[in-house]
Amino acid sequence: MEIDAWIATAERLVAEPFPAHQEGRDGGVSEPGLHIAMLVESQDCWDDDAYDAMEPTLRAFEEMRDRLTEALTARWGSPVFVDLGAALDRALAGEQWGGDTPSNTPTSP
């Protein structure tokens, strides 16, 4: 089942240390302060034929997200919302932001 594989990926990444520099990996990337893993990928939706697939694809991705959220919540508890606005601002300004650890203070979604 895909959810089991996704949870296994999350558990592996939680246990892995962050590298000192950005490192590509199969299906993702790691850098100081974060790991990114590609769990599922859609087809390109640039041409007219693919455009018709966008809405059903979006619904399917939302359903997968919701199932994964339920599974992770059951395993680790309710999610904590973190404001990443400052990190986004620095990234957009071209500044180094890897290695930041977000505040443990939850914010409203």
Side-chain angles (χ1 to χ4, degrees), residues 7 17 53 61 77 94:
I7 290 174
F61 273 45

Side-chain angles (χ1 to χ4, degrees), residues 7-100:
I7 290 174
T9 297
E11 288 177 336
R12 177 180 52 80
L13 292 175
V14 166
E16 283 186 13
F18 298 117
H21 304 285
Q22 186 179 62
E23 297 176 0
R25 60 174 63 228
D26 186 32
V29 65
S30 290
E31 61 184 60
L34 68 96
H35 297 297
I36 297 172
M38 181 71 66
L39 300 178
V40 66
E41 186 175 10
S42 76
Q43 67 183 31
D44 287 334
C45 296
W46 296 110
D47 57 30
D48 290 338
D49 292 336
Y51 185 79
D52 294 336
M54 286 176 56
E55 189 64 33
T57 300
L58 177 60
R59 281 195 301 274
F61 273 45
E62 288 172 341
E63 290 172 10
M64 286 184 267
R65 177 206 57 210
D66 293 346
R67 288 193 338 254
L68 181 58
T69 299
E70 286 178 22
L72 293 174
T73 298
R75 189 169 199 90
W76 288 322
S78 296
V80 175
F81 293 93
V82 178
D83 182 0
L84 297 176
L88 176 61
D89 290 342
R90 287 193 308 277
L92 291 173
E95 298 175 20
Q96 178 69 25
W97 63 276
D100 286 0

